[in-house]
Amino acid sequence: MRILALETSCDDTCAAVIEDAAIRSNLISSQAEFHRRYGGVVPEVASRHHLQLVNAAVDGALAEADCSLDDVDAVAVTRGPGLIGALLVGVATAKALAAAARKPLIGVDHLHGHVAANFLEPDPLEPPFLCLIASGGHTLLAGVRNPRSFEVLGTTLDDAAGEAFDKGARLLGLGYPGGPEIQRAAEGGDPGAFEFPVAMSRDPGLDFSFSGLKTALVYKARDLGEEGVAAARADLAASFQRAITDQLLAKLERALDREPWPAVALGGGVAANRELRERTAALCDDRGLRLKLVPIELCTDNAAMIASAARFTEPTPYPDYLDWDAYSTGSALRAA
Ligand code: KG4
Ligand code: ZN
């Protein structure tokens, strides 16, 4: 089964071709340079860039996979959740491509895509496993019992983990995206120098919250003043990073205490964080669990993961998808 997939839910214009679980091409056109000057993703700017980039991304993905639209069995696209204007560019393009070639179209849930990154070659992970997805837009613990769906065990009540990194970086006078900037600034810093609240630590559930942490940093930065922040930047970054990873790991551990998952996987842009990767590896080591870490380019948004989820999603035959819309929130998939 050969699938051409498109992903335009946020600020990356992505197209990929997979053949069963093997990636034939995986193109990612990052718009980060356009959003950097604003310190975050501007939805209208993202939509306009998707429009300019999407056709070249599709052509590039087909060319690199050495095939044409006629050679694919189905087209797949992210329908949501994400930025609605950005999603619509991908959905409209995918509908047009599929309809022109009289192919089926597969509408994919973005978060199912992050989970499905683990099903790709090499070394695909088979369910059941526990998957922590932490990105700029989402933070959730997904219980994966079969490849077709996932169960949301816990999610963020406010900001996403990546958003906390991005906002924290701005408060520390660092650039965008904030995650890598904080990770770099934290090198050599003392993670115990400042005390930040580890939210939800007494909450028995599996939900996350990051807005209190951000507020704590706002106050700390105000107390220290600009020069004080500059002088203590490494310690502040290390302590802030530690507070985020503490919360992510605490909830991961709690989920493992509740149910004996045999394997753990990480996904989303925050999964690129070295401290999170190392601490999760230590946790899995301690508990004798398998840890699956896909390469960074499959952690952050990409279309190969959407194609991978499409393999386990019902295709819609031509022309039944012509009235499809995108959805900005919620999910087409709930519970296993
Ligand atoms: O998955 P992704 O590329 O896009 C979304 O779906 O949001 O995630 C982007 C997020 C940003 O918030 C960025 O700051 C964060 O992932 N990120 C990191 C690291 N690299 C990217 N956070 C912490 N440490 C990193 N090394
Ligand atoms: Zn994502």
Side-chain angles (χ1 to χ4, degrees), residues 110 114 135-137 162-163 165-166 177-180 183 268-270 272-273 299-301:
H110 181 77
H114 276 298
S135 72
E163 209 176 344
F165 272 111
D166 294 337
Q183 177 172 310
V270 179
N273 186 265
C299 282
T300 53
D301 288 350

